[in-house]
Amino acid sequence: MSAMSTAGHLRRETRLRRRSLAPAATETSLAVRHDGRMSAGGYQSWFISARDLASPRALWIRHTTHRPRQGPESAALWCTVIDRDLGQRPIVVKQVFGALPADAVAGPRQFRGKARMGERTARWELCISGSEAPLRPLRPLALYRAPLPRTKLEASVPDGLLTGTLEVDDHPISVSGWRGTIGHNWGSEHADSWVWLHASGFGAAPDTWLELVLARIRIGGVRTPWTAMGTLSLDSERIPLGGLGRRPDVDVQPGRLTAVIASPGARLQLSVTTAGEDAVAVAYADPSGGSRCVRHAALAAVELTLTRPGDREVTMSTSRGAYEYGTRQGMRGIVLAALPEG
């Protein structure tokens, strides 16, 4: 990928901050609307994923609530940071509580929290600016009211600029104009297997962003084929990707992905690669019992080609992607981090 120039970065930041003055859904309205969806056996997660455009630094923060069908409810604050000044491997701090702390905040505009795990500590207070309307990738939208899939998701802020304070083991990390997204997931069960991919900072098209989900679920003990749903935003146009009835051609691995995704009037071909030093492997507890093995790379290289009839072929790449692979099946050769359960 050709590096984004400083001037281009500043123009991008100025545009996003101007657009952030537009009306947007409030943090309270979104949180209340979704919190009511979590049943006696359910979970929800607010997360923020962002990358520094000027250096290979990234963060992934989660505020989660877990309500198992049997056993006590729990909440957790997770913080994962990639910063070569702190070491060659990502730093992960997770603390589990009986309920989310009163001073913790997670929503479309602000994240605030702190966590301790052994001698490691993390503290964050972050704000995101951007006027992109929330994205609900599941289509048709009736799927959000249907019993399947059992996981619902929304990119509450599909693309924005992150600014604020972040400390790891009392080491301050400057967060100013990092490009990122805020997401919200909720449901009664994690998918059998899934991929979540987000990318921005494409050198040839700096305003472009990609949000894509691939999933397999179990129905009556049978695993369904992969389904892809998402959006590519190009020149301010949101191009829907995949959907029911449009089976993608994919090769899904914990650390890489190749895919061809058909869409109404478009075809997206993409490849994703990640490095081991940019990834963490963790367990997600499932409300129905058991857990999922998850490998999350907060930095990923993404190359894509968009083809549309009667239009020019568009090819672009970025090193500012994030790639997550989760599965019930386990991941051979990948050791999960020793983190508190919950």
Side-chain angles (χ1 to χ4, degrees), residues 167-190:
E167 291 184 4
V168 176
D169 299 335
D170 296 323
H171 177 87
I173 299 173
S174 174
V175 179
S176 179
W178 289 25
R179 188 90 172 266
T181 181
I182 289 179
H184 189 196
N185 304 336
W186 68 99
S188 60
E189 184 179 38
H190 294 295

Side-chain angles (χ1 to χ4, degrees), residues 190-196 214-215 226 284 292 294 324-327:
H190 294 295
D192 185 88
S193 300
W194 74 87
V195 164
W196 172 76
L214 302 168
W226 286 101
Y284 284 6
R292 303 291 188 269
V294 179
E324 178 176 292
Y325 172 76
T327 181

Side-chain angles (χ1 to χ4, degrees), residues 60-214:
W60 173 45
I61 292 173
R62 304 176 74 225
H63 292 215
T64 62
T65 303
H66 176 64
R67 187 178 294 164
R69 293 174 187 171
Q70 295 182 341
E73 180 175 330
S74 64
L77 298 180
W78 314 50
C79 180
T80 301
V81 177
I82 296 175
D83 187 335
R84 298 291 183 262
D85 290 341
L86 302 179
Q88 292 301 308
R89 302 288 301 179
I91 292 175
V92 186
V93 182
K94 177 186 177 185
Q95 185 171 357
V96 176
F97 308 85
L100 284 172
D103 59 349
V105 175
R109 294 296 171 217
Q110 184 182 17
F111 268 63
R112 182 175 66 242
K114 56 186 177 182
R116 174 181 291 275
M117 189 177 74
E119 296 183 353
R120 307 227 76 146
T121 61
R123 180 189 304 269
W124 55 93
E125 183 155 2
L126 302 163
C127 296
I128 194 164
S129 62
S131 66
E132 290 280 359
L135 170 68
R136 289 194 159 191
L138 301 184
R139 294 189 309 279
L141 289 178
L143 291 175
Y144 285 89
R145 301 187 299 273
L148 294 174
R150 296 186 178 92
T151 289
K152 316 299 183 185
L153 63 157
E154 177 181 80
S156 303
V157 181
D159 183 47
L161 293 175
L162 190 69
T163 301
T165 59
L166 174 64
E167 291 184 4
V168 176
D169 299 335
D170 296 323
H171 177 87
I173 299 173
S174 174
V175 179
S176 179
W178 289 25
R179 188 90 172 266
T181 181
I182 289 179
H184 189 196
N185 304 336
W186 68 99
S188 60
E189 184 179 38
H190 294 295
D192 185 88
S193 300
W194 74 87
V195 164
W196 172 76
L197 172 65
H198 181 87
S200 60
F202 293 90
D207 288 338
T208 296
W209 54 265
L210 171 68
E211 180 83 10
L212 181 66
V213 176
L214 302 168

